[in-house]
Amino acid sequence: MNNEKRLYVHPGPVRVWHWVNALGFVILILTGFQIRFADILNIMPLQDAITIHNYVGFTLIGNYFIWLIYYLSTGKIKIYILDVRTLVPMAIKQMLYYGYGIFRGDENPHHMTPDNKFNALQQQAYAAIMLIFLPAQMLSGVFLWKVKGYSDYIHLLGGIKTIDTIHVILFFFFGSFVMIHCYLATLGHTPLAHFKAMFTGYEDH
Ligand code: HEM
């Protein structure tokens, strides 16, 4: 294999985190639908859905720390930190590419390197997801798991309705994200190129 033309962009811990997370999310979304729409859906018994949702939820909380510890301990977390000076123009360029240029065969305005692997849109989306939305989803999930035990915190944060609304809105957000994310992941030089890279670690240059 010719590694000179290939860039090592997804280190092992990130790949393990990502695929455990992706599988877990599919299960959480399915069981989440069953729990939320128990009166009209019958994918599985409600109690089973709750039990699976709780186990998988806690597994993904543990899994999140693989991602966090890896990025903090290596200092690579900086690829998630936005540069406000270039953010807006780069995001506009990238949107024009996805909305128009890509259909004319234009070159992608972003050139990936291991230290700058995300385009402006990916960077904003991933930073929001990994540093705000996922922690908020995990915390609200833990509070909903033991409502009585955490009643003081729940009260402090606006009550059970607020916590539940945050959890459900983020649930719909993540459901939509997964679909868009899967579509965008097919836009490599071949439809499966980015998927393969998330398994092997190497992206073709
Ligand atoms: C369910 C199926 C999923 C598939 C097929 C998938 C596919 C991919 C692929 C191919 C990449 C590498 C290309 C890129 O950076 O865009 C990637 C990266 C990424 N995905 Fe996913 N993904 C899935 C689910 C998820 C979920 C549920 C999340 C988070 C809630 C997620 C978050 C991320 C993040 C943060 C990265 C960048 C990771 C890093 O390099 O630090 N993915 N995904």
mmCIF file of all heavy atoms in Angstrom, residues 95-134:
data_model
loop_
_atom_site.group_PDB
_atom_site.id
_atom_site.type_symbol
_atom_site.label_atom_id
_atom_site.label_comp_id
_atom_site.label_asym_id
_atom_site.label_seq_id
_atom_site.Cartn_x
_atom_site.Cartn_y
_atom_site.Cartn_z
ATOM 1 N N MET A 95 -20.482 26.156 1.921
ATOM 2 C CA MET A 95 -21.909 26.011 1.606
ATOM 3 C C MET A 95 -22.137 26.148 0.102
ATOM 4 O O MET A 95 -22.909 25.405 -0.483
ATOM 5 C CB MET A 95 -22.723 27.069 2.354
ATOM 6 C CG MET A 95 -23.084 26.622 3.747
ATOM 7 S SD MET A 95 -24.303 27.681 4.477
ATOM 8 C CE MET A 95 -23.330 28.937 5.212
ATOM 9 N N LEU A 96 -21.433 27.109 -0.512
ATOM 10 C CA LEU A 96 -21.569 27.297 -1.963
ATOM 11 C C LEU A 96 -21.090 26.042 -2.698
ATOM 12 O O LEU A 96 -21.667 25.630 -3.702
ATOM 13 C CB LEU A 96 -20.749 28.516 -2.425
ATOM 14 C CG LEU A 96 -21.320 29.870 -2.025
ATOM 15 C CD1 LEU A 96 -20.369 30.993 -2.444
ATOM 16 C CD2 LEU A 96 -22.690 30.084 -2.672
ATOM 17 N N TYR A 97 -20.041 25.434 -2.146
ATOM 18 C CA TYR A 97 -19.525 24.214 -2.777
ATOM 19 C C TYR A 97 -20.563 23.087 -2.694
ATOM 20 O O TYR A 97 -20.885 22.455 -3.694
ATOM 21 C CB TYR A 97 -18.213 23.805 -2.105
ATOM 22 C CG TYR A 97 -17.727 22.449 -2.539
ATOM 23 C CD1 TYR A 97 -17.265 22.245 -3.839
ATOM 24 C CD2 TYR A 97 -17.746 21.367 -1.658
ATOM 25 C CE1 TYR A 97 -16.840 20.992 -4.251
ATOM 26 C CE2 TYR A 97 -17.320 20.115 -2.063
ATOM 27 C CZ TYR A 97 -16.871 19.932 -3.351
ATOM 28 O OH TYR A 97 -16.456 18.685 -3.750
ATOM 29 N N TYR A 98 -21.120 22.857 -1.485
ATOM 30 C CA TYR A 98 -22.088 21.750 -1.329
ATOM 31 C C TYR A 98 -23.391 22.017 -2.084
ATOM 32 O O TYR A 98 -24.055 21.109 -2.562
ATOM 33 C CB TYR A 98 -22.404 21.501 0.156
ATOM 34 C CG TYR A 98 -21.320 20.743 0.888
ATOM 35 C CD1 TYR A 98 -20.922 21.122 2.169
ATOM 36 C CD2 TYR A 98 -20.694 19.639 0.303
ATOM 37 C CE1 TYR A 98 -19.920 20.435 2.846
ATOM 38 C CE2 TYR A 98 -19.692 18.949 0.972
ATOM 39 C CZ TYR A 98 -19.315 19.351 2.236
ATOM 40 O OH TYR A 98 -18.333 18.671 2.903
ATOM 41 N N GLY A 99 -23.766 23.310 -2.158
ATOM 42 C CA GLY A 99 -25.049 23.635 -2.785
ATOM 43 C C GLY A 99 -24.963 23.778 -4.296
ATOM 44 O O GLY A 99 -25.976 23.662 -4.984
ATOM 45 N N TYR A 100 -23.743 24.048 -4.815
ATOM 46 C CA TYR A 100 -23.644 24.402 -6.231
ATOM 47 C C TYR A 100 -22.392 23.810 -6.882
ATOM 48 O O TYR A 100 -22.488 22.979 -7.807
ATOM 49 C CB TYR A 100 -23.634 25.934 -6.319
ATOM 50 C CG TYR A 100 -23.513 26.499 -7.707
ATOM 51 C CD1 TYR A 100 -24.493 26.275 -8.674
ATOM 52 C CD2 TYR A 100 -22.398 27.278 -8.054
ATOM 53 C CE1 TYR A 100 -24.360 26.807 -9.952
ATOM 54 C CE2 TYR A 100 -22.276 27.813 -9.326
ATOM 55 C CZ TYR A 100 -23.254 27.573 -10.266
ATOM 56 O OH TYR A 100 -23.126 28.093 -11.526
ATOM 57 N N GLY A 101 -21.211 24.191 -6.373
ATOM 58 C CA GLY A 101 -19.941 23.820 -7.020
ATOM 59 C C GLY A 101 -19.783 22.315 -7.201
ATOM 60 O O GLY A 101 -19.290 21.859 -8.237
ATOM 61 N N ILE A 102 -20.205 21.550 -6.207
ATOM 62 C CA ILE A 102 -20.003 20.098 -6.259
ATOM 63 C C ILE A 102 -20.695 19.488 -7.487
ATOM 64 O O ILE A 102 -20.200 18.549 -8.098
ATOM 65 C CB ILE A 102 -20.499 19.436 -4.945
ATOM 66 C CG1 ILE A 102 -20.035 17.993 -4.860
ATOM 67 C CG2 ILE A 102 -21.994 19.532 -4.785
ATOM 68 C CD1 ILE A 102 -20.267 17.363 -3.497
ATOM 69 N N PHE A 103 -21.838 20.107 -7.909
ATOM 70 C CA PHE A 103 -22.585 19.560 -9.050
ATOM 71 C C PHE A 103 -21.924 19.931 -10.374
ATOM 72 O O PHE A 103 -22.262 19.378 -11.407
ATOM 73 C CB PHE A 103 -24.045 20.050 -9.005
ATOM 74 C CG PHE A 103 -24.745 19.647 -7.730
ATOM 75 C CD1 PHE A 103 -25.086 20.583 -6.762
ATOM 76 C CD2 PHE A 103 -25.040 18.308 -7.487
ATOM 77 C CE1 PHE A 103 -25.704 20.201 -5.578
ATOM 78 C CE2 PHE A 103 -25.660 17.918 -6.310
ATOM 79 C CZ PHE A 103 -25.992 18.869 -5.349
ATOM 80 N N ARG A 104 -20.979 20.926 -10.322
ATOM 81 C CA ARG A 104 -20.266 21.304 -11.551
ATOM 82 C C ARG A 104 -18.876 20.671 -11.588
ATOM 83 O O ARG A 104 -18.086 20.940 -12.468
ATOM 84 C CB ARG A 104 -20.076 22.831 -11.615
ATOM 85 C CG ARG A 104 -21.358 23.623 -11.588
ATOM 86 C CD ARG A 104 -21.093 25.082 -11.860
ATOM 87 N NE ARG A 104 -19.722 25.494 -11.477
ATOM 88 C CZ ARG A 104 -19.124 26.585 -11.938
ATOM 89 N NH1 ARG A 104 -19.756 27.366 -12.773
ATOM 90 N NH2 ARG A 104 -17.916 26.910 -11.531
ATOM 91 N N GLY A 105 -18.565 19.883 -10.551
ATOM 92 C CA GLY A 105 -17.259 19.238 -10.502
ATOM 93 C C GLY A 105 -16.153 20.162 -10.009
ATOM 94 O O GLY A 105 -14.974 19.905 -10.260
ATOM 95 N N ASP A 106 -16.505 21.270 -9.308
ATOM 96 C CA ASP A 106 -15.476 22.169 -8.761
ATOM 97 C C ASP A 106 -14.647 21.446 -7.695
ATOM 98 O O ASP A 106 -15.085 20.455 -7.114
ATOM 99 C CB ASP A 106 -16.129 23.398 -8.101
ATOM 100 C CG ASP A 106 -16.724 24.330 -9.130
ATOM 101 O OD1 ASP A 106 -16.540 24.067 -10.335
ATOM 102 O OD2 ASP A 106 -17.396 25.306 -8.718
ATOM 103 N N GLU A 107 -13.485 22.039 -7.406
ATOM 104 C CA GLU A 107 -12.630 21.454 -6.368
ATOM 105 C C GLU A 107 -13.167 21.821 -4.989
ATOM 106 O O GLU A 107 -13.655 22.949 -4.793
ATOM 107 C CB GLU A 107 -11.222 22.024 -6.537
ATOM 108 C CG GLU A 107 -10.154 21.185 -5.876
ATOM 109 C CD GLU A 107 -8.802 21.891 -5.935
ATOM 110 O OE1 GLU A 107 -8.570 22.608 -6.921
ATOM 111 O OE2 GLU A 107 -8.029 21.745 -4.995
ATOM 112 N N ASN A 108 -13.071 20.905 -4.036
ATOM 113 C CA ASN A 108 -13.486 21.197 -2.656
ATOM 114 C C ASN A 108 -12.585 22.307 -2.092
ATOM 115 O O ASN A 108 -11.360 22.194 -2.165
ATOM 116 C CB ASN A 108 -13.353 19.915 -1.823
ATOM 117 C CG ASN A 108 -14.001 20.033 -0.464
ATOM 118 O OD1 ASN A 108 -14.014 21.108 0.135
ATOM 119 N ND2 ASN A 108 -14.553 18.938 0.018
ATOM 120 N N PRO A 109 -13.168 23.419 -1.559
ATOM 121 C CA PRO A 109 -12.324 24.508 -1.054
ATOM 122 C C PRO A 109 -11.485 24.125 0.164
ATOM 123 O O PRO A 109 -10.522 24.805 0.498
ATOM 124 C CB PRO A 109 -13.331 25.601 -0.688
ATOM 125 C CG PRO A 109 -14.641 24.919 -0.564
ATOM 126 C CD PRO A 109 -14.593 23.701 -1.451
ATOM 127 N N HIS A 110 -11.854 23.031 0.826
ATOM 128 C CA HIS A 110 -11.089 22.638 2.015
ATOM 129 C C HIS A 110 -10.126 21.506 1.684
ATOM 130 O O HIS A 110 -10.521 20.499 1.101
ATOM 131 C CB HIS A 110 -12.045 22.187 3.127
ATOM 132 C CG HIS A 110 -11.320 21.691 4.343
ATOM 133 N ND1 HIS A 110 -11.233 20.350 4.667
ATOM 134 C CD2 HIS A 110 -10.627 22.352 5.297
ATOM 135 C CE1 HIS A 110 -10.524 20.212 5.773
ATOM 136 N NE2 HIS A 110 -10.151 21.409 6.177
ATOM 137 N N HIS A 111 -8.852 21.680 2.073
ATOM 138 C CA HIS A 111 -7.868 20.618 1.848
ATOM 139 C C HIS A 111 -7.464 20.040 3.192
ATOM 140 O O HIS A 111 -6.894 20.730 4.035
ATOM 141 C CB HIS A 111 -6.658 21.166 1.086
ATOM 142 C CG HIS A 111 -7.054 21.680 -0.262
ATOM 143 N ND1 HIS A 111 -7.269 20.848 -1.331
ATOM 144 C CD2 HIS A 111 -7.333 22.931 -0.693
ATOM 145 C CE1 HIS A 111 -7.656 21.569 -2.369
ATOM 146 N NE2 HIS A 111 -7.706 22.837 -2.010
ATOM 147 N N MET A 112 -7.789 18.781 3.362
ATOM 148 C CA MET A 112 -7.622 18.133 4.659
ATOM 149 C C MET A 112 -6.150 17.863 5.012
ATOM 150 O O MET A 112 -5.370 17.440 4.157
ATOM 151 C CB MET A 112 -8.375 16.804 4.580
ATOM 152 C CG MET A 112 -8.366 15.986 5.814
ATOM 153 S SD MET A 112 -9.087 14.369 5.446
ATOM 154 C CE MET A 112 -10.678 14.543 6.180
ATOM 155 N N THR A 113 -5.784 18.141 6.258
ATOM 156 C CA THR A 113 -4.503 17.667 6.803
ATOM 157 C C THR A 113 -4.832 17.106 8.191
ATOM 158 O O THR A 113 -5.898 17.426 8.737
ATOM 159 C CB THR A 113 -3.475 18.819 6.974
ATOM 160 O OG1 THR A 113 -3.968 19.695 8.004
ATOM 161 C CG2 THR A 113 -3.247 19.585 5.692
ATOM 162 N N PRO A 114 -3.936 16.299 8.788
ATOM 163 C CA PRO A 114 -4.266 15.739 10.107
ATOM 164 C C PRO A 114 -4.545 16.830 11.153
ATOM 165 O O PRO A 114 -5.338 16.630 12.070
ATOM 166 C CB PRO A 114 -3.016 14.939 10.475
ATOM 167 C CG PRO A 114 -2.397 14.587 9.164
ATOM 168 C CD PRO A 114 -2.680 15.738 8.246
ATOM 169 N N ASP A 115 -3.897 18.006 11.007
ATOM 170 C CA ASP A 115 -4.115 19.076 11.997
ATOM 171 C C ASP A 115 -5.243 20.017 11.615
ATOM 172 O O ASP A 115 -5.555 20.963 12.353
ATOM 173 C CB ASP A 115 -2.834 19.903 12.162
ATOM 174 C CG ASP A 115 -1.780 19.083 12.874
ATOM 175 O OD1 ASP A 115 -2.161 18.200 13.659
ATOM 176 O OD2 ASP A 115 -0.582 19.312 12.607
ATOM 177 N N ASN A 116 -5.810 19.809 10.434
ATOM 178 C CA ASN A 116 -6.897 20.682 9.988
ATOM 179 C C ASN A 116 -7.835 19.826 9.141
ATOM 180 O O ASN A 116 -7.989 20.031 7.954
ATOM 181 C CB ASN A 116 -6.300 21.841 9.162
ATOM 182 C CG ASN A 116 -7.372 22.768 8.640
ATOM 183 O OD1 ASN A 116 -8.474 22.827 9.182
ATOM 184 N ND2 ASN A 116 -7.071 23.469 7.561
ATOM 185 N N LYS A 117 -8.434 18.826 9.812
ATOM 186 C CA LYS A 117 -9.136 17.827 8.999
ATOM 187 C C LYS A 117 -10.583 18.186 8.712
ATOM 188 O O LYS A 117 -11.192 17.601 7.834
ATOM 189 C CB LYS A 117 -9.025 16.440 9.607
ATOM 190 C CG LYS A 117 -9.700 16.217 10.929
ATOM 191 C CD LYS A 117 -9.618 14.729 11.259
ATOM 192 C CE LYS A 117 -9.971 14.443 12.687
ATOM 193 N NZ LYS A 117 -10.089 13.014 12.960
ATOM 194 N N PHE A 118 -11.129 19.167 9.443
ATOM 195 C CA PHE A 118 -12.542 19.500 9.225
ATOM 196 C C PHE A 118 -12.686 20.751 8.366
ATOM 197 O O PHE A 118 -11.961 21.733 8.561
ATOM 198 C CB PHE A 118 -13.244 19.772 10.550
ATOM 199 C CG PHE A 118 -13.211 18.613 11.504
ATOM 200 C CD1 PHE A 118 -12.995 18.827 12.852
ATOM 201 C CD2 PHE A 118 -13.410 17.319 11.049
ATOM 202 C CE1 PHE A 118 -12.975 17.753 13.742
ATOM 203 C CE2 PHE A 118 -13.390 16.249 11.923
ATOM 204 C CZ PHE A 118 -13.165 16.464 13.269
ATOM 205 N N ASN A 119 -13.665 20.752 7.448
ATOM 206 C CA ASN A 119 -13.997 22.015 6.788
ATOM 207 C C ASN A 119 -14.791 22.866 7.780
ATOM 208 O O ASN A 119 -15.196 22.381 8.850
ATOM 209 C CB ASN A 119 -14.731 21.769 5.457
ATOM 210 C CG ASN A 119 -16.111 21.187 5.651
ATOM 211 O OD1 ASN A 119 -16.899 21.673 6.471
ATOM 212 N ND2 ASN A 119 -16.443 20.141 4.897
ATOM 213 N N ALA A 120 -15.036 24.161 7.410
ATOM 214 C CA ALA A 120 -15.631 25.090 8.381
ATOM 215 C C ALA A 120 -16.999 24.606 8.886
ATOM 216 O O ALA A 120 -17.328 24.777 10.062
ATOM 217 C CB ALA A 120 -15.758 26.468 7.743
ATOM 218 N N LEU A 121 -17.779 23.969 8.002
ATOM 219 C CA LEU A 121 -19.111 23.511 8.422
ATOM 220 C C LEU A 121 -19.005 22.319 9.368
ATOM 221 O O LEU A 121 -19.686 22.260 10.394
ATOM 222 C CB LEU A 121 -19.950 23.109 7.198
ATOM 223 C CG LEU A 121 -20.266 24.220 6.214
ATOM 224 C CD1 LEU A 121 -21.076 23.670 5.052
ATOM 225 C CD2 LEU A 121 -21.037 25.349 6.900
ATOM 226 N N GLN A 122 -18.108 21.373 9.006
ATOM 227 C CA GLN A 122 -17.902 20.221 9.896
ATOM 228 C C GLN A 122 -17.427 20.707 11.257
ATOM 229 O O GLN A 122 -17.895 20.244 12.296
ATOM 230 C CB GLN A 122 -16.810 19.305 9.319
ATOM 231 C CG GLN A 122 -17.246 18.416 8.200
ATOM 232 C CD GLN A 122 -16.049 17.669 7.636
ATOM 233 O OE1 GLN A 122 -14.988 18.248 7.410
ATOM 234 N NE2 GLN A 122 -16.206 16.386 7.411
ATOM 235 N N GLN A 123 -16.471 21.663 11.240
ATOM 236 C CA GLN A 123 -15.876 22.102 12.498
ATOM 237 C C GLN A 123 -16.931 22.703 13.433
ATOM 238 O O GLN A 123 -16.975 22.384 14.618
ATOM 239 C CB GLN A 123 -14.776 23.117 12.212
ATOM 240 C CG GLN A 123 -13.783 23.206 13.336
ATOM 241 C CD GLN A 123 -12.817 24.346 13.148
ATOM 242 O OE1 GLN A 123 -13.151 25.355 12.535
ATOM 243 N NE2 GLN A 123 -11.631 24.195 13.690
ATOM 244 N N GLN A 124 -17.800 23.550 12.862
ATOM 245 C CA GLN A 124 -18.834 24.162 13.699
ATOM 246 C C GLN A 124 -19.815 23.116 14.209
ATOM 247 O O GLN A 124 -20.188 23.100 15.380
ATOM 248 C CB GLN A 124 -19.625 25.193 12.891
ATOM 249 C CG GLN A 124 -18.825 26.414 12.561
ATOM 250 C CD GLN A 124 -19.634 27.367 11.689
ATOM 251 O OE1 GLN A 124 -20.739 27.741 12.019
ATOM 252 N NE2 GLN A 124 -19.074 27.745 10.564
ATOM 253 N N ALA A 125 -20.235 22.230 13.299
ATOM 254 C CA ALA A 125 -21.226 21.218 13.693
ATOM 255 C C ALA A 125 -20.632 20.278 14.736
ATOM 256 O O ALA A 125 -21.242 20.025 15.786
ATOM 257 C CB ALA A 125 -21.673 20.433 12.463
ATOM 258 N N TYR A 126 -19.407 19.782 14.461
ATOM 259 C CA TYR A 126 -18.809 18.819 15.386
ATOM 260 C C TYR A 126 -18.484 19.460 16.743
ATOM 261 O O TYR A 126 -18.637 18.825 17.780
ATOM 262 C CB TYR A 126 -17.534 18.219 14.781
ATOM 263 C CG TYR A 126 -17.763 17.311 13.588
ATOM 264 C CD1 TYR A 126 -16.729 17.014 12.701
ATOM 265 C CD2 TYR A 126 -18.995 16.721 13.340
ATOM 266 C CE1 TYR A 126 -16.917 16.176 11.613
ATOM 267 C CE2 TYR A 126 -19.188 15.887 12.258
ATOM 268 C CZ TYR A 126 -18.145 15.615 11.390
ATOM 269 O OH TYR A 126 -18.332 14.789 10.322
ATOM 270 N N ALA A 127 -18.023 20.717 16.719
ATOM 271 C CA ALA A 127 -17.698 21.368 17.996
ATOM 272 C C ALA A 127 -18.969 21.513 18.833
ATOM 273 O O ALA A 127 -18.979 21.217 20.029
ATOM 274 C CB ALA A 127 -17.056 22.733 17.745
ATOM 275 N N ALA A 128 -20.061 21.960 18.194
ATOM 276 C CA ALA A 128 -21.317 22.127 18.937
ATOM 277 C C ALA A 128 -21.783 20.775 19.473
ATOM 278 O O ALA A 128 -22.186 20.648 20.638
ATOM 279 C CB ALA A 128 -22.381 22.739 18.030
ATOM 280 N N ILE A 129 -21.683 19.744 18.626
ATOM 281 C CA ILE A 129 -22.177 18.420 19.035
ATOM 282 C C ILE A 129 -21.346 17.842 20.174
ATOM 283 O O ILE A 129 -21.884 17.407 21.194
ATOM 284 C CB ILE A 129 -22.178 17.469 17.820
ATOM 285 C CG1 ILE A 129 -23.350 17.841 16.912
ATOM 286 C CG2 ILE A 129 -22.241 16.009 18.238
ATOM 287 C CD1 ILE A 129 -23.321 17.198 15.565
ATOM 288 N N MET A 130 -20.016 17.854 20.007
ATOM 289 C CA MET A 130 -19.170 17.169 20.984
ATOM 290 C C MET A 130 -19.014 17.942 22.284
ATOM 291 O O MET A 130 -18.835 17.338 23.334
ATOM 292 C CB MET A 130 -17.778 16.907 20.381
ATOM 293 C CG MET A 130 -17.795 16.004 19.169
ATOM 294 S SD MET A 130 -18.738 14.492 19.410
ATOM 295 C CE MET A 130 -17.799 13.640 20.660
ATOM 296 N N LEU A 131 -19.069 19.291 22.202
ATOM 297 C CA LEU A 131 -18.763 20.069 23.412
ATOM 298 C C LEU A 131 -20.008 20.639 24.092
ATOM 299 O O LEU A 131 -19.954 21.016 25.252
ATOM 300 C CB LEU A 131 -17.782 21.203 23.056
ATOM 301 C CG LEU A 131 -16.467 20.707 22.428
ATOM 302 C CD1 LEU A 131 -15.623 21.859 21.920
ATOM 303 C CD2 LEU A 131 -15.673 19.863 23.427
ATOM 304 N N ILE A 132 -21.139 20.701 23.368
ATOM 305 C CA ILE A 132 -22.355 21.249 23.986
ATOM 306 C C ILE A 132 -23.517 20.246 23.949
ATOM 307 O O ILE A 132 -24.044 19.851 24.993
ATOM 308 C CB ILE A 132 -22.784 22.567 23.288
ATOM 309 C CG1 ILE A 132 -21.644 23.587 23.346
ATOM 310 C CG2 ILE A 132 -24.047 23.149 23.944
ATOM 311 C CD1 ILE A 132 -21.863 24.839 22.513
ATOM 312 N N PHE A 133 -23.903 19.819 22.730
ATOM 313 C CA PHE A 133 -25.132 19.014 22.625
ATOM 314 C C PHE A 133 -25.015 17.623 23.264
ATOM 315 O O PHE A 133 -25.928 17.185 23.964
ATOM 316 C CB PHE A 133 -25.566 18.877 21.161
ATOM 317 C CG PHE A 133 -25.918 20.192 20.514
ATOM 318 C CD1 PHE A 133 -25.926 20.329 19.133
ATOM 319 C CD2 PHE A 133 -26.259 21.308 21.277
ATOM 320 C CE1 PHE A 133 -26.249 21.545 18.527
ATOM 321 C CE2 PHE A 133 -26.585 22.525 20.687
ATOM 322 C CZ PHE A 133 -26.572 22.635 19.304
ATOM 323 N N LEU A 134 -23.881 16.930 22.993
ATOM 324 C CA LEU A 134 -23.751 15.592 23.605
ATOM 325 C C LEU A 134 -23.695 15.674 25.131
ATOM 326 O O LEU A 134 -24.436 14.956 25.807
ATOM 327 C CB LEU A 134 -22.515 14.866 23.071
ATOM 328 C CG LEU A 134 -22.722 13.851 21.937
ATOM 329 C CD1 LEU A 134 -21.416 13.135 21.614
ATOM 330 C CD2 LEU A 134 -23.773 12.824 22.310
#
